[in-house]
Amino acid sequence: MVTFDNRFHLITPAAGGGSMVFFSGTVIEAANATGPDWQRFNITFILDEVAWSSAPAVAPAVSLAAISTEADGNNAGWAVDRSNFHFVDGRIQLSCDLAVRGTSNLLRLTYQVTAIGNIA
């Protein structure tokens, strides 16, 4: 289960009608690695602050926010390979592909999402 911290959203009128919503926050989700090969993970979470009446146009961005290594740091690595979105039950769901290697941990992600559409 994904835990959130510092969740924010801002709603403003969009040019041409509808609303523009900016979402941001921190996701606390651990992904750990223990060897030299990249280990891949996927996490998904829903931005449930706003319900949409139709699928909005969405521009998601997910970044690393906290990482650590427990050894000498040789071969340590962390990555957000890609982020994507889906429209699920009137909400935006983000999906993030992550990679970690070495004796290291990915502890937190930050997200920024802009969406334009009609709010329910």
Side-chain angles (χ1 to χ4, degrees), residues 25-110:
T26 302
V27 176
I28 302 169
E29 176 70 18
N32 306 310
T34 57
D37 297 326
W38 286 101
Q39 297 178 29
R40 307 222 180 264
F41 304 89
N42 177 275
I43 65 165
T44 59
F45 54 93
I46 291 183
L47 304 177
D48 58 4
E49 298 95 338
V50 174
W52 301 88
S53 60
S54 60
V58 178
V62 178
S63 311
L64 303 173
I67 55 177
S68 70
T69 184
E70 297 180 14
D72 56 15
N74 289 337
N75 295 318
W78 307 267
V80 176
D81 288 334
R82 72 191 52 81
S83 57
N84 205 346
F85 69 93
H86 303 282
F87 188 61
V88 178
D89 296 329
R91 306 286 199 263
I92 297 169
Q93 179 186 53
L94 292 184
S95 176
C96 308
D97 292 334
L98 312 172
V100 184
R101 76 174 185 184
T103 306
S104 56
N105 308 297
L106 191 157
L107 305 170
R108 287 178 175 74
L109 303 168
T110 185

